[in-house]
Amino acid sequence: MIQRDRDLSQPLDTLHDNEQLKARSRHLRGTIAEGLEDTLTGAVPGEDPLLMKFHGIYQQDDRDQRAARRRRHLEPIYQFMVRLRIPGGLLTKQQWWGLDDLSRRYAERGIRITTRQTVQLHGVRKPALRALMRGLRDIGLDTIAACGDDSRGVVCGANPFLSRAHRRVAELARATSDRLIPKTRAYPEIWYQEAGARVEHEEPVYGELYLPRKFKVGYALPPVNDIDVYGQDLGLIAVVDRGELLGFNVCVGGGMGQLDNRDDSYPRLAEEIGFIDADDAPRFSETVMSIQRDFGDRKDRHRARFKYTLDRLGLPWFLDELATRWGHPLAPARPQRFDHNGDRLGWHQGDDDLWHATLYIESGRIDDALRARISGLLEQYGGRLRLTTNQNLQLTHVEDHERESLQWRLDDLGLSWRLTPDLQAAHTLSCVALPTCGLAMAEAERYTPRLLDLFQRLKSQYGLAAVPISLRLTGCPNGCARPYLGEIALTGRAPGLYNLYLGGSFNGDRLALLYAGNVDEARFLDLLAPLLERFAHDRHDDEHFGDFLLRRELLADCPVSLTSSS
């Protein structure tokens, strides 16, 4: 018998405070509606900021102004980050135009493409929240479950219009998202002020307590691992034969977040456990999520992710439980391989003869000027857009006769360089961090241009300018830019200080190692210089930096190994 002293089988009053909050929230209603009407503060009161995460909204404040406001006895400049649910990152150009308009009216920091293949709007003030949410509804978008203890937005790799198999995977990703989102009526009641009949079982899958923590599902299409499938709670790797999608290899238990001050907190790679038929993927995803719902840790939130459930109860136990709920054991996984985890930038043509162009977007940040150019560009063709998990933007469904004129328009608008950006920039990711993220301990997005410049100069010094190295930068150890899968990564510790990780793989199937702690800019360059010098002289043909470091055992003296799950 397994120990069940930490899951939802235990008395509610013994569980974490967040579990008790969810139980009394009336399926995520709380007093959010009342708090929105309070004009005396820019915040929502009490426990409601936690509940609003389930609605895709984070309460934040401008940390650059926090100390000055405190000295003047003023409340912080409260504002909200609103994250959309966009399964597979697919948008019509009409939806983009709608987002352009809504961001100009209600958000103070433009549009940001995230590593979950969606959009965040930063700097939204409380009086504008309902108007924004209704505006999103009117263009066919929503924010439900973009945050909170639920199934986050489902990501889908590569261009879904590249082939018949890609299109089918994109359809399954959307079906999975629709199946796994909460069904509570709280969302339309609060944001659209729609009265609706209460049902007896408002959350037939989630129940009153929802999940112990977030649960991420991702679909990957080899040989491109752009979604970093081994970092997902549930990863589904497409198996394609002669252009037809047969099914998916399943991997479970990935996760990036960790706490630097706890030895029992760590990133983890997902493990491959078998194969399922393609049509079964949405229902299978719900089955796996339901096991985490029932057995995940609800006393210690720092140990509540699915990866810890698997390590606490054991993979053999999970496979038995899965076979019981699924009705039979899984078939063996089938051969597949990945060769990189970046985006293929520039022009590419699908098997339907339609073209797509992937544009590089620095840290996913689309400011007012770029937003206007993209909106103008979309007037030139009849296609759609797609956001990528590497924070870039694809123009899809470009007819052959439209390509030349669209390229001319890209040239006219000064956007054509984004088809073939600097190679290192194209392999660099960063999270938002300061000034808005409440968890950030160091800069990320705002520091990335300087870091890139310094790193590119160092690479050029050793003749490595044309060699891509995956570089990830986050303002804290939570891992929003998937740092622990990078060949080089920095995770924030304090202003100007980072932990340095090295040795992840270029195709995203190996975790990096903690190489040095509390590294400043000068120390970062000093540590990398001799390693890059050796790489330049001793690498094999086409060998990647992370593979070289492991082959030459240059990471053997790392103080902490994070490649295992224990």
Side-chain angles (χ1 to χ4, degrees), residues 277-347:
D277 292 336
D279 291 343
D280 289 336
R283 182 170 64 91
F284 181 84
S285 300
E286 182 181 295
T287 301
V288 175
M289 189 180 78
S290 73
I291 296 175
Q292 165 63 356
R293 174 199 64 200
D294 295 346
F295 294 95
D297 193 327
R298 293 181 184 263
K299 292 188 176 182
D300 183 353
R301 282 185 63 80
H302 296 304
R303 296 274 299 172
R305 288 290 298 275
F306 185 39
K307 59 184 178 180
Y308 299 121
T309 304
L310 291 178
D311 286 346
R312 175 168 52 88
L313 300 178
L315 188 62
W317 165 83
F318 170 76
L319 293 175
D320 288 344
E321 182 68 22
L322 177 62
T324 299
R325 297 192 183 203
W326 189 238
H328 55 81
L330 301 187
R334 304 190 182 185
Q336 54 77 28
R337 58 176 291 276
F338 293 110
D339 56 26
H340 71 104
N341 62 352
D343 287 341
R344 287 178 169 160
L345 298 168
W347 285 102

Side-chain angles (χ1 to χ4, degrees), residues 131-146:
L132 171 60
M133 301 292 266
R134 288 171 175 168
L136 292 173
R137 173 199 60 186
D138 294 343
I139 60 174
L141 297 172
D142 61 56
T143 66
I144 186 70

Side-chain angles (χ1 to χ4, degrees), residues 424 428 449-461 467-471 488 524-525 528 532 545:
Q424 185 53 56
T428 300
R450 175 174 173 80
L451 178 69
L452 259 177
D453 180 60
L454 293 170
F455 185 52
Q456 288 165 323
R457 291 184 191 183
L458 186 62
K459 286 174 63 183
S460 297
Q461 183 178 332
V467 178
I469 297 175
S470 62
L471 173 65
I488 301 174
F524 169 73
L525 298 174
L528 279 185
L532 289 173
F545 184 59

